[in-house]
């Protein structure tokens, strides 16, 4: 178990998932999109706890870590905050903006797994109101997708405080240009991206993955079922994907991975071992729908880790 506080800067959100029992292509007429007016009947609807900061904190707490999510939430977040407090997650760095709703994603999926998503950022746009120094004693941090100004300011604040952090731009990456991304890489100790984001990061900065990694302690690239790459000390190491018991929903798998990574790094694990733990956490999550609907004891995780990698956690 770990008492080291890990500051998780990112979003707290509600995810509303709807399933349209048909195909979008059969309902949307290409020659009529200029007058599009359509409704989808969605018999199946699910509302999940979500947001990158929330999902990462949940994963880290499951391992016995001490996550401190830092986010801005709206007037409708009482249930989310009560749940986290019940789980023993430190909510002192969650700021409520009474004039806003909590960030919300509305996702409609058809039978071909196509998705139409509407995202309301709400309180997330006020993330810059939170400051790293107000969180107190922090051993490690992560900057996950959040309000643009907040991400920029929190990186500078981590660096000024001498706190190592992971740069995890996720779906927020398109908001930044070369100069800003170069600055994030300069300030961060680690960076974590998926394979699509890795390509975009290289295109925007004009650097190869190897060149980016040379400016960091480690660069982690997740590759779905292909596992992940860890670039460290001038070498690329392949971390295999842990086989999941079933594939139910990839939502939040990257966040579960990052929870495992943060646990390892904050407890002095070599980055390769931390990435193995991260791979396991992603595999445990993908067997369940939603970002926070999986639950395993520390003992179960330790046993699975030893079975998968032949070493004790």
């Amino acid at each position: 178990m770990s008492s080291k506080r890990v500051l998780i800067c990112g979003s707290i959100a509600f995810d509303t998932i709807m399933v349209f029992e048909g195909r979008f292509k059969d309902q949307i007429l290409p020659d009529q999109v200029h007058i599009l007016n359509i409704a989808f009947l969605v018999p199946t609807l699910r509302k999940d706890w979500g947001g990158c900061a929330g999902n990462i904190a949940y994963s880290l707490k499951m391992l016995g870590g001490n996550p401190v999510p830092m986010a801005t939430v709206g007037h409708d977040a009482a249930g989310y905050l009560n749940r986290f407090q019940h789980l023993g997650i430190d909510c002192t760095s969650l700021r409520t903006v009474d004039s806003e709703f909590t960030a919300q994603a509305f996702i409609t999926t058809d039978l071909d797994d196509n998705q139409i998503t509407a995202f309301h950022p709400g309180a997330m746009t006020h993330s810059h109101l939170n400051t790293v120094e107000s969180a107190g004693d922090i051993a490690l941090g992560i900057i996950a997708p959040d309000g643009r100004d907040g991400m920029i300011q929190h990186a500078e604040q981590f660096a000024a405080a001498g706190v190592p952090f992971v740069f995890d731009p996720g779906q927020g990456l398109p908001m930044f240009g070369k100069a800003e991304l170069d600055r994030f890489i300069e300030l961060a100790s680690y960076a974590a991206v998926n394979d699509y984001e890795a390509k975009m990061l290289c295109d925007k900065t004009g650097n190869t993955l190897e060149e980016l990694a040379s400016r960091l302690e480690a660069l982690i690239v997740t590759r779905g079922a292909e596992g992940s790459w860890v670039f460290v000390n001038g070498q690329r190491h392949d971390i295999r994907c842990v086989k999941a018991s079933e594939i139910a929903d990839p939502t939040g798998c990257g966040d579960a991975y990052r929870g495992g990574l943060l646990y390892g790094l904050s407890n002095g694990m070599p980055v390769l071992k931390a990435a193995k733990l991260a791979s396991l956490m992603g595999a445990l999550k993908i067997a369940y729908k939603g970002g926070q609907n999986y639950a395993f004891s520390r003992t179960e995780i330790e046993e699975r880790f030893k079975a998968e990698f032949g070493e004790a956690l």
Side-chain angles (χ1 to χ4, degrees):
M1 301 296 180
S2 172
S3 61
K4 294 182 179 178
R5 301 173 79 237
V6 178
L7 188 63
I8 303 170
C9 303
S11 61
I12 293 286
F14 294 112
D15 295 334
T16 299
I17 316 296
M18 296 160 281
V19 179
F20 169 56
E21 296 179 351
R23 291 173 171 84
F24 295 146
K25 67 182 181 180
D26 296 333
Q27 304 293 320
I28 299 175
L29 304 176
D31 60 341
Q32 299 295 310
V33 292
H34 63 292
I35 53 170
L36 186 66
N37 186 351
I38 192 167
F40 299 107
L41 178 66
V42 288
T44 303
L45 182 148
R46 189 178 80 247
K47 191 167 186 177
D48 288 328
W49 315 105
C52 293
N55 293 343
I56 295 170
Y58 182 82
S59 172
L60 180 54
K61 185 65 178 181
M62 190 182 302
L63 282 162
N66 191 359
V68 183
M70 188 167 80
T72 39
V73 299
H75 56 76
D76 54 343
Y80 205 135
L81 300 183
N82 289 339
R83 177 172 178 269
F84 262 25
Q85 288 166 353
H86 179 73
L87 290 171
I89 294 174
D90 186 337
C91 293
T92 56
S93 290
L94 296 178
R95 176 192 293 259
T96 299
V97 181
D98 290 327
S99 60
E100 299 278 9
F101 285 100
T102 300
Q104 301 187 45
F106 301 89
I107 304 166
T108 304
T109 303
D110 74 357
L111 293 181
D112 290 331
D113 285 332
N114 296 307
Q115 289 188 336
I116 297 175
T117 300
F119 182 72
H120 174 64
M124 192 182 80
T125 60
H126 300 276
S127 64
H128 59 279
L129 297 176
N130 288 327
T131 61
V132 170
E133 52 266 30
S134 66
D137 185 31
I138 296 295
L140 179 68
I142 185 170
I143 294 178
D146 206 353
R148 183 181 185 278
D149 291 344
M151 292 177 71
I152 291 172
Q153 292 178 26
H154 296 155
E156 297 289 346
Q157 292 164 7
F158 273 128
V163 176
F165 71 92
V166 178
F167 176 49
D168 171 28
Q171 62 266 36
L173 201 157
M175 296 189 295
F176 304 107
K178 173 178 168 53
E180 292 159 329
L181 292 169
D182 281 338
R183 182 60 174 165
F184 277 121
I185 296 297
E186 177 186 348
L187 298 176
S189 298
Y190 309 91
V193 291
N194 66 26
D195 44 4
Y196 180 83
E197 295 155 3
K199 177 67 165 59
M200 184 182 294
L201 185 60
C202 289
D203 289 347
K204 281 178 166 282
T205 61
N207 294 130
T208 65
L209 290 174
E210 289 79 7
E211 289 169 339
L212 291 169
S214 71
R215 299 161 57 190
L216 296 157
E217 290 187 33
L219 169 64
I220 297 95
V221 180
T222 59
R223 304 169 59 239
E226 301 300 314
S228 51
W229 289 335
V230 178
F231 294 84
V232 61
N233 296 328
Q235 292 185 306
R236 192 193 84 188
H237 301 265
D238 288 24
I239 306 298
R240 67 177 179 83
C241 179
V242 173
K243 183 175 176 58
S245 59
E246 64 176 290
I247 308 297
D249 180 11
T251 304
C253 285
D255 296 329
Y257 184 105
R258 283 149 179 77
L261 184 69
L262 291 171
Y263 181 85
L265 295 176
S266 64
N267 283 281
M269 285 184 193
V271 66
L272 296 181
K273 185 173 183 178
K276 291 176 183 178
L277 175 58
S279 178
L280 173 59
M281 294 304 291
L284 294 178
K285 203 260 42 112
I286 203 170
Y288 296 83
K289 293 182 178 180
Q292 298 176 34
N293 294 325
Y294 64 111
F296 293 87
S297 69
R298 170 63 183 234
T299 299
E300 289 173 318
I301 295 171
E302 288 177 345
E303 291 174 350
R304 182 71 184 275
F305 186 85
K306 187 167 186 178
E308 291 287 344
F309 298 107
E311 58 179 316
L313 181 57

